[in-house]
């Protein structure tokens, strides 16, 4: 059994990092709620889309190690390891940001996984696939024959090219999305683990 995981906003939580980066640059008032969405909404409403794009290059690049693993994701990997379930990361990620300095976003992603100990929890470097396009991401999920795939974006799970036979799990920690019609929605990593690993015990 192989479980596929998205990377940005599924494994990695950027909320506090975006808030910190924006405050450091005096782009937002410090009193703004510390979420990625509130920072984005504030900058867009202020007509500062370019600043938002540039912040993303920094957050996904040189400052990524200051982001956090979502609560419970490390324990989830530990549970997979204990259960003998393999895990792969499949992300759609450009090599460089759209704007600003030419940071290597792929190297940065590996730095995050390494510095937060995910490579010590049974995730192997050669099971981390950073694909340049969404189509390549979907093809990878299919060629790996993932039993299930966890992603924070309903539009990824709802893609026409999403491979058949892969259980769709929407990671929706803020409880803001509708459940996928042909999949399952979870609000936390413990819930995701209970569902996927308990189902495995029953089928064993
Ligand atoms: Mg994502």
């Amino acid at each position: 059994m192989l479980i596929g995981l998205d990377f940005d906003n599924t494994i990695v939580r950027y909320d506090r990092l975006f808030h910190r980066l924006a405050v450091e640059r005096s782009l937002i008032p410090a009193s703004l709620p510390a979420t990625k969405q509130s920072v984005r909404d504030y900058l867009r409403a202020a007509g500062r889309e370019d600043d938002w794009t540039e912040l993303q290059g920094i957050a996904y690049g040189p400052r990524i190690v200051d982001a956090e693993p979502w609560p419970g994701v490390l324990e989830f990997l530990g549970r997979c390891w204990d259960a003998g379930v393999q895990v792969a990361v499949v992300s759609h990620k450009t090599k460089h940001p759209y704007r600003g300095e030419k940071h290597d976003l792929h190297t940065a992603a590996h730095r995050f996984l390494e510095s937060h100990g995910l490579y010590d929890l049974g995730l192997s470097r050669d099971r981390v696939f950073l694909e340049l396009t969404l189509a390549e991401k979907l093809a990878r999920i299919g060629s790996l024959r993932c039993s299930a795939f966890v992603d924070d974006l309903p539009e990824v799970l709802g893609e026409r090219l999403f491979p058949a036979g892969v259980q769709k799990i929407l990671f929706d920690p803020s409880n803001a999305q509708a459940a996928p019609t042909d999949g399952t929605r979870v609000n936390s990593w413990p819930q995701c683990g209970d569902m996927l690993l308990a189902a495995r015990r029953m089928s064993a």
Side-chain angles (χ1 to χ4, degrees), residues 55-88:
L55 273 194
Q56 290 179 85
I58 297 164
Y60 301 149
R63 292 289 294 274
I64 196 171
V65 293
D66 296 332
E68 304 153 276
W70 266 98
V73 72
L74 299 179
E75 292 78 4
F76 174 84
L77 290 178
R79 286 174 74 181
C80 288
W81 175 258
D82 289 344
V85 170
Q86 294 194 324
V87 171

Side-chain angles (χ1 to χ4, degrees), residues 3 27 129 143 196 203:
I3 298 175
L27 294 171
F129 301 94
S143 67
L196 286 173
S203 66

